[in-house]
mmCIF file of all heavy atoms in Angstrom:
data_model
loop_
_atom_site.group_PDB
_atom_site.id
_atom_site.type_symbol
_atom_site.label_atom_id
_atom_site.label_comp_id
_atom_site.label_asym_id
_atom_site.label_seq_id
_atom_site.Cartn_x
_atom_site.Cartn_y
_atom_site.Cartn_z
ATOM 1 N N THR A 388 -20.245 -38.171 -76.337
ATOM 2 C CA THR A 388 -19.139 -37.303 -76.040
ATOM 3 C C THR A 388 -19.567 -35.965 -75.422
ATOM 4 O O THR A 388 -18.962 -35.401 -74.532
ATOM 5 C CB THR A 388 -18.266 -37.073 -77.332
ATOM 6 O OG1 THR A 388 -17.768 -38.267 -77.709
ATOM 7 C CG2 THR A 388 -17.066 -36.164 -76.956
ATOM 8 N N ALA A 389 -20.727 -35.442 -75.957
ATOM 9 C CA ALA A 389 -21.217 -34.175 -75.505
ATOM 10 C C ALA A 389 -21.629 -34.337 -74.039
ATOM 11 O O ALA A 389 -21.512 -33.378 -73.237
ATOM 12 C CB ALA A 389 -22.399 -33.715 -76.353
ATOM 13 N N GLY A 390 -22.170 -35.472 -73.598
ATOM 14 C CA GLY A 390 -22.756 -35.617 -72.299
ATOM 15 C C GLY A 390 -21.923 -36.286 -71.270
ATOM 16 O O GLY A 390 -22.125 -36.247 -70.080
ATOM 17 N N PHE A 391 -20.836 -37.062 -71.790
ATOM 18 C CA PHE A 391 -20.193 -37.899 -70.847
ATOM 19 C C PHE A 391 -18.669 -37.974 -71.071
ATOM 20 O O PHE A 391 -18.019 -38.998 -70.765
ATOM 21 C CB PHE A 391 -20.730 -39.318 -70.951
ATOM 22 C CG PHE A 391 -22.225 -39.428 -70.667
ATOM 23 C CD1 PHE A 391 -23.093 -39.635 -71.689
ATOM 24 C CD2 PHE A 391 -22.642 -39.273 -69.399
ATOM 25 C CE1 PHE A 391 -24.494 -39.737 -71.437
ATOM 26 C CE2 PHE A 391 -24.047 -39.270 -69.109
ATOM 27 C CZ PHE A 391 -24.943 -39.530 -70.138
ATOM 28 N N ASP A 392 -18.052 -36.968 -71.601
ATOM 29 C CA ASP A 392 -16.619 -37.050 -71.878
ATOM 30 C C ASP A 392 -15.826 -36.680 -70.642
ATOM 31 O O ASP A 392 -16.468 -36.483 -69.550
ATOM 32 C CB ASP A 392 -16.198 -36.164 -73.082
ATOM 33 C CG ASP A 392 -16.238 -34.673 -72.727
ATOM 34 O OD1 ASP A 392 -16.794 -34.305 -71.654
ATOM 35 O OD2 ASP A 392 -15.676 -33.888 -73.535
ATOM 36 N N ASP A 393 -14.509 -36.707 -70.709
ATOM 37 C CA ASP A 393 -13.665 -36.431 -69.564
ATOM 38 C C ASP A 393 -13.958 -35.088 -68.881
ATOM 39 O O ASP A 393 -13.928 -34.936 -67.681
ATOM 40 C CB ASP A 393 -12.202 -36.534 -69.957
ATOM 41 C CG ASP A 393 -11.767 -37.931 -70.333
ATOM 42 O OD1 ASP A 393 -12.510 -38.878 -69.963
ATOM 43 O OD2 ASP A 393 -10.703 -37.971 -70.975
ATOM 44 N N ARG A 394 -14.290 -34.067 -69.745
ATOM 45 C CA ARG A 394 -14.539 -32.754 -69.167
ATOM 46 C C ARG A 394 -15.819 -32.679 -68.373
ATOM 47 O O ARG A 394 -15.937 -32.076 -67.345
ATOM 48 C CB ARG A 394 -14.509 -31.706 -70.303
ATOM 49 C CG ARG A 394 -14.140 -30.318 -69.793
ATOM 50 C CD ARG A 394 -13.708 -29.433 -70.828
ATOM 51 N NE ARG A 394 -13.229 -28.141 -70.240
ATOM 52 C CZ ARG A 394 -13.428 -27.044 -70.777
ATOM 53 N NH1 ARG A 394 -14.027 -26.924 -71.896
ATOM 54 N NH2 ARG A 394 -12.923 -25.918 -70.266
ATOM 55 N N VAL A 395 -16.838 -33.335 -68.869
ATOM 56 C CA VAL A 395 -18.144 -33.379 -68.153
ATOM 57 C C VAL A 395 -17.914 -34.156 -66.883
ATOM 58 O O VAL A 395 -18.492 -33.778 -65.856
ATOM 59 C CB VAL A 395 -19.240 -34.003 -69.034
ATOM 60 C CG1 VAL A 395 -20.484 -34.140 -68.242
ATOM 61 C CG2 VAL A 395 -19.450 -33.203 -70.234
ATOM 62 N N ALA A 396 -17.190 -35.243 -66.930
ATOM 63 C CA ALA A 396 -16.918 -36.058 -65.677
ATOM 64 C C ALA A 396 -16.186 -35.196 -64.688
ATOM 65 O O ALA A 396 -16.435 -35.246 -63.498
ATOM 66 C CB ALA A 396 -16.031 -37.271 -66.098
ATOM 67 N N ARG A 397 -15.222 -34.331 -65.145
ATOM 68 C CA ARG A 397 -14.474 -33.481 -64.260
ATOM 69 C C ARG A 397 -15.437 -32.480 -63.611
ATOM 70 O O ARG A 397 -15.336 -32.102 -62.425
ATOM 71 C CB ARG A 397 -13.365 -32.753 -64.994
ATOM 72 C CG ARG A 397 -12.471 -31.833 -64.160
ATOM 73 C CD ARG A 397 -11.851 -32.616 -63.011
ATOM 74 N NE ARG A 397 -10.956 -31.725 -62.247
ATOM 75 C CZ ARG A 397 -10.594 -32.029 -60.990
ATOM 76 N NH1 ARG A 397 -10.942 -33.109 -60.390
ATOM 77 N NH2 ARG A 397 -9.778 -31.159 -60.328
ATOM 78 N N TYR A 398 -16.301 -31.884 -64.395
ATOM 79 C CA TYR A 398 -17.295 -30.959 -63.917
ATOM 80 C C TYR A 398 -18.126 -31.582 -62.774
ATOM 81 O O TYR A 398 -18.387 -30.906 -61.755
ATOM 82 C CB TYR A 398 -18.225 -30.555 -65.122
ATOM 83 C CG TYR A 398 -19.570 -29.926 -64.790
ATOM 84 C CD1 TYR A 398 -19.693 -28.611 -64.363
ATOM 85 C CD2 TYR A 398 -20.769 -30.718 -64.885
ATOM 86 C CE1 TYR A 398 -20.891 -28.056 -64.055
ATOM 87 C CE2 TYR A 398 -22.015 -30.115 -64.597
ATOM 88 C CZ TYR A 398 -22.059 -28.870 -64.206
ATOM 89 O OH TYR A 398 -23.239 -28.276 -63.910
ATOM 90 N N ARG A 399 -18.540 -32.750 -62.940
ATOM 91 C CA ARG A 399 -19.360 -33.436 -61.921
ATOM 92 C C ARG A 399 -18.511 -33.774 -60.683
ATOM 93 O O ARG A 399 -18.982 -33.622 -59.554
ATOM 94 C CB ARG A 399 -20.002 -34.673 -62.463
ATOM 95 C CG ARG A 399 -21.061 -34.412 -63.479
ATOM 96 C CD ARG A 399 -21.520 -35.617 -64.227
ATOM 97 N NE ARG A 399 -22.648 -35.297 -65.100
ATOM 98 C CZ ARG A 399 -22.959 -35.965 -66.240
ATOM 99 N NH1 ARG A 399 -22.222 -37.025 -66.538
ATOM 100 N NH2 ARG A 399 -23.971 -35.581 -67.009
ATOM 101 N N GLU A 400 -17.243 -34.132 -60.914
ATOM 102 C CA GLU A 400 -16.374 -34.318 -59.777
ATOM 103 C C GLU A 400 -16.119 -32.983 -58.983
ATOM 104 O O GLU A 400 -16.194 -33.027 -57.682
ATOM 105 C CB GLU A 400 -14.987 -34.835 -60.240
ATOM 106 C CG GLU A 400 -15.008 -36.251 -60.809
ATOM 107 C CD GLU A 400 -13.720 -36.631 -61.414
ATOM 108 O OE1 GLU A 400 -12.800 -35.813 -61.419
ATOM 109 O OE2 GLU A 400 -13.607 -37.694 -62.010
ATOM 110 N N LEU A 401 -15.991 -31.907 -59.633
ATOM 111 C CA LEU A 401 -15.726 -30.624 -58.975
ATOM 112 C C LEU A 401 -16.967 -30.223 -58.178
ATOM 113 O O LEU A 401 -16.854 -29.694 -57.073
ATOM 114 C CB LEU A 401 -15.356 -29.551 -60.084
ATOM 115 C CG LEU A 401 -14.067 -29.802 -60.723
ATOM 116 C CD1 LEU A 401 -13.888 -28.791 -61.863
ATOM 117 C CD2 LEU A 401 -12.828 -29.649 -59.743
#
Side-chain angles (χ1 to χ4, degrees):
T388 301
F391 302 106
D392 72 348
D393 292 343
R394 205 161 186 217
V395 175
R397 181 60 177 161
Y398 161 76
R399 290 172 177 152
E400 290 172 2
L401 294 171

